[in-house]
Structures are given as C-alpha cells and as structure tokens.
Amino acid sequence: MVVKERRTFLGVCLGALFAAGAGAIAYPVFRYLAPRHEAGNNSKVEIPESELTAGNAKYFEYQGKAAVLIRRNNGALVALSAVCTHLGCVVQWQKEKEEFLCPCHAGLFTADGTVISGPPPKPLEKLSFVVANGKVIIG
Ligand code: FES
C-alpha cells in the first residue's frame, strides 16, 4: 500500500517536473515565432514641434519600423516611413538637397517620398499626422 502511494507521488512529481521543463522550452519558442503585438505599442507617436527646425529630420520608430518627420525649408511638415520600398534599407535625409537617399542601392526620393531615381518601385509610405498643443502626433 505504501509502495503504491510512493509510486503515485513520484509519478506526480515527475509529471510536474516534465511539464515545467516543457514549458520552459516551449515558451521562448512561442515568443520567438508569434507575431509581434504592435497595435497598442507605438500606435501614436508624439514629437514636440520645437524639435524640428527648418530643413531638419527627426527619425523615430512607428509600428516597429523606422519613420521620419521632416520640416522642410518652407516650413511644411512631412511624415514618412523611412523604409526604402526597394529592399527595406533606411533612407537618409539629405538636408542640403531636401531629398532622401537610400544608402543600399542609391535610390533617391523627394522630400514627400516620390521616387526620383534608382531601383525603388514605389514612393515612401506617407504617415498621417496632426499638430496640436505644440506637438506633432503621428498615427
Ligand atoms: S534598398 Fe533602397 S535602393 Fe535598394
């Protein structure tokens, strides 16, 4: 009788140990493979207007990807995805020319994201924004 209870107890302990070990392995694998939950994270980005002087760009992360807000020399604000539409490199703001240059294959875009030259098949994605209380709110 005592032997049977010991075996049952050991079986329960081994089962619990196996379950804990399987969970310790499965959880990181699940976290790696599961899609990122980005909706609530970075769904809106606020940038103080004071951080944007004429001709300059402010890079930030939007929905897990590189994005950029620029104030053109004429004062207009433009918010774009900074991810090149060719193979996904991050475009660089060329302040003097008011253009974006992709460092990977020399794709060239205007300040509003239109393709000027190079391999990018389409313009940079425009991001919607509003300006309120001295902040630019993207998204
Ligand atoms: S990745 Fe930008 S031009 Fe190729």
Side-chain angles (χ1 to χ4, degrees):
M1 188 77 158
V2 173
V3 174
K4 187 175 182 184
E5 286 176 7
R6 277 191 196 157
R7 285 188 181 160
T8 304
F9 177 74
L10 279 174
V12 169
C13 287
L14 285 174
L17 199 60
F18 177 76
I25 293 170
Y27 183 71
V29 171
F30 169 76
R31 292 283 305 191
Y32 178 76
L33 295 175
R36 287 183 161 188
H37 187 355
E38 297 170 345
N41 193 10
N42 280 347
S43 61
K44 289 201 185 291
V45 175
E46 294 184 1
I47 297 174
E49 261 195 295
S50 59
E51 290 185 14
L52 284 157
T53 54
N56 286 312
K58 174 88 179 166
Y59 283 81
F60 57 98
E61 188 176 307
Y62 181 71
Q63 296 183 341
K65 296 178 183 165
V68 63
L69 176 67
I70 58 169
R71 183 180 295 280
R72 300 192 61 183
N73 286 326
N74 66 9
L77 290 168
V78 180
L80 299 167
S81 165
V83 178
C84 180
T85 55
H86 181 221
L87 294 178
C89 295
V90 174
V91 296
Q92 304 299 310
W93 176 240
Q94 309 290 297
K95 181 179 177 179
E96 303 75 29
K97 297 178 183 174
E98 285 207 319
E99 294 172 348
F100 289 99
L101 173 65
C102 180
C104 293
H105 311 102
L108 202 57
F109 302 86
T110 64
D112 70 355
T114 304
V115 178
I116 298 170
S117 64
K122 52 187 184 173
L124 298 172
E125 179 188 354
K126 288 183 173 31
L127 303 177
S128 62
F129 65 90
V130 294
V131 179
N133 301 323
K135 293 177 183 171
V136 182
I137 303 161
I138 298 124

